[in-house]
Amino acid sequence: MTDPKTTDFGFEEVPWTEKARRVRGVFDSVADKYDVMNDLMSVGVHRLWKAFALSQTGLKTGGHALDVAGGTGDLAAGMAKQVGEKGLVVLSDINQAMLERGRDRLLNRGIGGNVHYALANAEELPFAGNSFDCVTIGFGLRNVTDKPAALRSMLRVLRPGGQLLVLEFSKPTIAPLQPLYDAYSFQLLPLLGKLVANDEASYRYLAESIRKHPDQEALLAMMRAAGFERASYHNLTGGIVAVHRGYKL
């Protein structure tokens, strides 16, 4: 059993208080090339995964939404269209470089009036309780040190009847996919990081962090333990990615 004073940083065990700093360093390093690398890493499929997640938000005109660990803003941009001018979307991230990258991308697309930005730790969200109709976190939960705390924090800021959507890499459910996925993750992905972003180590961490992340059933149990009701998940691309959903009732 993992020592509660340590946690994983990829395949490395690090002091509990060190992970956030080291993850911040990774994303400081990759922020400028993050969009390009997302397309290369997923052969563009990440756009379809995000589109599916957006189709599940249930947001209506005038709604309020929060995108946690929002990175370059793809989910926030989609939700901004869903809630319209009378609604509000908050794009939050613990990393200043990623938050600025997301803000610039949205502004360049003409999305601005109904989107606010917040430098925020997912484990201690600085928002009032019962504030949002939908909270999303896309490819960010695996980088959080205290995942149960983050889940509880996201539950707190949801309005009754609101839902959390977690879009995250998971465990392939089709056996032949696993060796191919491993070869891609641990051989090709770091090579792409080296060639495109001149940063092999950061992309090796990203691959390792996926393997250390709880699988579909383990994350489902964590959401239920945090207090989410009607929790469920939907596998995408043979379980390489999953969307977990839970409600605050």
Side-chain angles (χ1 to χ4, degrees):
M1 186 173 182
T2 303
D3 184 334
K5 294 182 180 179
T6 66
T7 188
D8 60 272
F9 177 77
F11 290 161
E12 184 182 353
E13 283 291 312
V14 298
W16 184 266
T17 55
E18 277 290 297
K19 180 169 179 174
R21 181 187 65 80
R22 294 183 66 168
V23 168
R24 188 177 300 115
V26 167
F27 285 93
D28 282 343
S29 176
V30 304
D32 287 344
K33 297 284 188 180
Y34 196 68
D35 297 324
V36 174
M37 285 300 298
N38 269 347
D39 281 326
L40 288 173
M41 287 189 311
S42 69
V43 200
V45 179
H46 74 98
R47 300 173 187 274
L48 300 178
W49 296 332
K50 291 169 182 173
F52 178 82
L54 286 168
S55 75
Q56 303 300 303
T57 65
L59 287 166
K60 298 180 174 61
T61 301
H64 287 194
L66 170 65
D67 186 20
V68 178
T72 53
D74 290 335
L75 292 178
M79 292 191 291
K81 294 177 182 178
Q82 293 174 339
V83 302
E85 293 181 359
K86 295 182 179 180
L88 172 68
V89 174
V90 177
L91 170 57
S92 74
D93 204 290
I94 195 172
N95 183 276
Q96 184 73 43
M98 292 295 291
L99 191 64
E100 290 175 357
R101 178 72 173 162
R103 179 198 62 200
D104 292 347
R105 286 186 78 237
L106 267 60
L107 290 175
N108 288 340
R109 294 169 62 182
I111 301 170
N114 63 348
V115 181
H116 294 179
Y117 301 88
L119 190 66
N121 185 339
E123 299 169 21
E124 300 176 300
L125 293 169
F127 310 110
N130 305 320
S131 293
F132 300 102
D133 302 296
C134 182
V135 175
T136 60
I137 180 166
F139 305 113
L141 187 60
R142 73 182 189 278
N143 298 310
V144 173
T145 304
D146 191 341
K147 295 174 181 62
L151 291 170
R152 292 192 299 270
S153 186
M154 289 185 278
L155 179 68
R156 180 185 64 80
V157 301
L158 275 171
R159 292 171 173 168
Q163 65 168 325
L164 167 68
L165 293 172
V166 180
L167 173 65
E168 188 56 270
F169 289 105
S170 200
K171 183 176 181 180
T173 56
I174 301 173
L177 273 180
Q178 190 65 59
L180 296 174
Y181 189 39
D182 286 342
Y184 171 79
S185 298
F186 296 113
Q187 297 178 36
L188 184 58
L189 181 54
L191 179 61
L192 286 173
K194 181 178 180 179
L195 295 175
V196 177
N198 195 30
D199 189 352
E200 180 178 355
S202 290
Y203 285 92
R204 187 172 299 283
Y205 159 74
L206 292 175
E208 293 174 356
S209 70
I210 292 168
R211 295 303 186 277
K212 298 295 289 185
H213 186 66
D215 66 15
Q216 290 92 325
E217 288 294 329
L219 180 54
L220 185 66
M222 290 173 66
M223 290 178 66
R224 288 170 173 162
F228 286 95
E229 304 286 345
R230 292 165 52 196
S232 62
Y233 64 85
H234 182 87
N235 286 320
L236 300 172
T237 318
I240 289 174
V241 163
V243 176
H244 282 70
R245 183 207 304 262
Y247 291 87
K248 180 177 181 177
L249 300 180

